[in-house]
Amino acid sequence: MARSMSAHCSKLTTTLVVFFLAWSNHVPEAAEGAPSWFWWPPSGGGGDDPNCLSWRVMVEANNAKGWRTVPAPCVGYVRGYMAWGQYYRDVGSVVDQAAAYAAQVAPADDGLDAWVLDVDDTCLSNQPYYQAKQFGPYDPAAFKMWASRGICPGIPAMQWLFQTLKGRGFRVFIVTGRDEETLGSSTPANLAAAGFSGYDRLVMRGSGSRGQSSMVFKSAVRTQLAAEGYRIRGNVGDQWSDLQGDCVGDRVFKVPNPMYFVP
């Protein structure tokens, strides 16, 4: 198959520079009013607090549930984790595992072997938005304003995985909790601009699914795909609610996200 993610990561430094330059072109508006330390790594790279590392492990293990904001002492830690290398290495490791698994699964000729990918902080990064608000509580109106601009950067390792899956012959469905009425035009445009073109279907929340938890909504979408005959071979998301419920797929892959929690 295509080159491994390990080989791909040899170009990670260059990719991150490109990512940062694209990101920095958009951040000033999103980050208006952000403190001066917004632009620079915190002392120690934000990774020296063992208590915050333990908190992040609890988040990724789904032992910390229902939290609304990053704990105040850990804001610098999360900022450093997300912006200065470790996050990208961790995403790359997840993608390595997903690609290795995909290489072992031969899609059938009927075209019904599929993968499901989430959007926010799986394919597209909202790091500039959350970092500018110091990882504060979710604000639906403010987030819709950010997402409607269609400038969320693509996450490089996930762009590679997406192309790898398509190249292997899998059907790829992108399922997001974003509202179709308000973000139905900006989201596909943003995905295309970020390198996610050629997916088989983008499924967003309609009026009938507003108010549902993410797990209930995404379970229903996957159940419908299964009813259409699709075999969900893999499922990738940044929230456990992306990966739990009905018809989750043969394998699930959790992308790290210590910025927020979605039930």
Side-chain angles (χ1 to χ4, degrees):
M1 63 177 293
R3 57 184 178 171
S4 71
M5 188 58 204
S6 296
H8 179 77
C9 283
S10 67
K11 296 185 177 180
L12 182 60
T13 300
T14 301
T15 302
L16 291 179
V17 169
V18 173
F19 177 90
F20 176 78
L21 292 174
W23 168 71
S24 62
N25 286 334
H26 301 302
V27 165
E29 270 187 69
E32 185 176 356
S36 59
W37 44 253
F38 176 83
W39 299 101
W40 303 106
S43 176
D48 294 337
D49 189 329
N51 293 322
C52 293
L53 175 58
S54 295
W55 173 79
R56 184 171 66 83
V57 169
M58 287 193 294
V59 167
E60 296 305 337
N62 205 28
N63 292 327
K65 297 184 179 183
W67 55 279
R68 298 187 67 246
T69 62
V70 173
C74 297
V75 168
Y77 171 86
V78 171
R79 184 172 68 249
Y81 170 76
M82 293 298 300
W84 299 100
Q86 189 60 52
Y87 166 74
Y88 299 102
R89 288 189 289 272
D90 289 349
V91 173
S93 294
V94 174
V95 166
D96 260 343
Q97 295 297 315
Y101 162 69
Q104 299 170 5
V105 179
D109 293 337
D110 60 12
L112 294 175
D113 289 291
W115 281 64
V116 174
L117 307 182
D118 172 52
V119 171
D120 288 302
D121 298 296
T122 299
C123 293
L124 302 179
S125 174
N126 295 303
Q127 179 187 338
Y129 167 79
Y130 281 102
Q131 186 162 316
K133 66 198 297 288
Q134 299 188 59
F135 308 102
Y138 178 65
D139 181 336
F143 180 78
K144 284 182 181 179
M145 288 182 63
W146 155 257
S148 68
R149 296 169 65 191
I151 59 173
C152 302
I155 296 175
M158 288 300 302
Q159 293 168 329
W160 179 84
L161 178 62
F162 173 78
Q163 297 299 335
T164 297
L165 294 173
K166 293 297 295 181
R168 286 277 298 158
F170 290 102
R171 307 291 291 272
V172 178
F173 296 94
I174 299 184
V175 181
T176 175
R178 289 187 176 197
D179 181 67
E180 186 171 23
E181 181 178 350
T182 55
L183 299 174
S185 59
S186 61
T187 299
N190 197 162
L191 285 167
F196 296 91
S197 297
Y199 50 80
D200 291 274
R201 192 183 309 170
L202 170 63
V203 183
M204 307 178 70
R205 281 187 191 268
S207 58
S209 57
R210 292 192 189 116
Q212 292 180 346
S213 71
S214 179
M215 187 176 74
V216 169
F217 165 65
K218 294 194 173 186
S219 288
V221 173
R222 294 190 303 264
T223 299
Q224 178 59 41
L225 290 175
E228 294 174 22
Y230 292 104
R231 297 177 291 271
I232 300 176
R233 298 305 193 187
N235 183 4
V236 187
D238 67 297
Q239 299 290 319
W240 280 105
S241 53
D242 298 329
L243 309 173
Q244 295 176 326
D246 300 325
C247 301
V248 295
D250 295 345
R251 284 282 303 273
V252 300
F253 297 90
K254 170 71 167 63
V255 176
N257 184 356
M259 298 188 294
Y260 57 86
F261 175 86
V262 178

